[in-house]
Amino acid sequence: MVEIKTDASVNAMREAGRVVAQALTAAEKAAAVGVTLRELDEVAREVLRDAGAGSPFLDYHPDWAPVPFPAVICASVNDAIVHGIPTDYRLRDGDLVSIDCGASLNGWVGDSAISFTVGQPREADLRLIETARAALEAGIAAAVVGNRTGDIAHAVGTVCRAAGYGIPQGFGGHGVGRTMHEGPEVPNEGRPGRGMKLRHGMTIAIEPMLIGGGGDDYGAAPDGWTLCTMDGSRAAHMEHTVAVRDGAPALILTAL
């Protein structure tokens, strides 16, 4: 089911989204060589606490997961694509880090993700991250009234494929609102003109996930949560929650 949000509800989601942006900004600022992923999780927890917000990630337990998720961020490093559990791993020079975070505030949810490098970056990683950002921007630009979810998927996928990157199949964006995962599904690749028609008041997360080696294959790590590239290449993940609006570009709800 897809809930069409009122303008007041969208404004409330904007407040939740702002908390997410603050948490991601703080986590990226804290990320440095020698810092653990658990420490980044604690930085995000403090931002949520200070804002009076909860975490839709913490204790989330979908059917396919062996245990509830134990953190407020997903921290995925190098060949990890998404859903990385923060551990005592200490960041190293040149690591590529993707952080996904959500916040629940006054009954509404925001969801966003960023990718960045630590220390001296690899040129290939910078290209991968910039392409993920460009794919996200293309998807947001396609999120207008009258288009369909397939138009967003096509926009995202076209940017990724043109750069020679892989796309993990079966994972993509989704509706966001009172909960973290709502309808509709928003794939990262698809045919234009297909899927659900976009209406004013729809709120969705658009989230490109790119595999640097060019293949689409991935597998689950022993923790049952982290998804990793099968070829060992690096991955990047970008995400914003946006609101579709009449006569205007999509409104990004998870920006500062």
Side-chain angles (χ1 to χ4, degrees), residues 59-252:
D59 295 327
Y60 179 59
H61 196 181
D63 292 342
W64 50 264
V67 296
F69 196 76
V72 304
I73 64 169
C74 297
S76 306
V77 180
N78 296 333
D79 65 333
I81 306 168
V82 288
H83 301 163
I85 295 176
T87 65
D88 290 325
Y89 174 84
R90 293 188 180 277
L91 293 172
R92 301 171 183 174
D93 188 49
D95 277 346
L96 193 166
V97 184
S98 297
I99 304 290
D100 193 354
C101 184
S104 301
L105 185 67
N106 298 322
W108 297 99
V109 172
D111 186 12
S112 184
I114 57 174
S115 290
F116 56 88
T117 58
V118 175
Q120 185 65 34
R122 301 182 184 185
E123 286 299 320
D125 290 345
L126 294 179
R127 289 195 299 271
L128 181 63
I129 292 170
E130 182 53 38
T131 303
R133 182 177 292 109
L136 175 59
E137 291 173 351
I140 294 171
V144 295
V145 171
N147 272 1
R148 295 181 179 272
T149 53
D151 294 302
I152 298 174
H154 179 72
V156 170
T158 296
V159 172
C160 297
R161 296 299 188 189
Y165 297 127
I167 301 171
Q169 299 302 301
F171 289 87
H174 49 86
V176 183
R178 299 180 190 276
T179 62
M180 181 170 56
H181 291 132
E182 300 180 354
E185 293 184 0
V186 186
N188 284 328
E189 191 169 34
R191 296 177 62 181
R194 299 293 184 91
M196 181 173 289
K197 197 168 186 177
L198 303 179
R199 297 170 52 192
H200 177 85
M202 290 178 65
T203 49
I204 55 177
I206 301 171
E207 51 178 322
M209 304 169 197
L210 282 63
I211 297 176
D216 298 347
D217 294 335
Y218 61 89
D223 63 24
W225 273 98
T226 310
L227 300 182
C228 300
T229 64
M230 293 297 289
D231 61 6
S233 65
R234 294 190 169 194
H237 177 204
M238 292 282 191
E239 178 183 18
H240 268 311
T241 300
V242 305
V244 179
R245 301 185 292 171
D246 281 328
L251 176 66
I252 298 175

Side-chain angles (χ1 to χ4, degrees), residues 1-44:
M1 179 179 176
V2 176
E3 179 184 1
I4 302 301
K5 314 303 189 301
T6 65
D7 290 348
S9 296
V10 169
N11 289 337
M13 287 185 65
R14 178 73 181 93
E15 295 306 310
R18 188 173 285 109
V19 175
V20 175
Q22 291 168 348
L24 289 173
T25 298
E28 182 177 5
K29 184 177 180 180
V33 174
V35 174
T36 71
L37 300 181
R38 289 189 199 276
E39 289 173 322
L40 297 186
D41 184 67
E42 183 53 42
V43 167

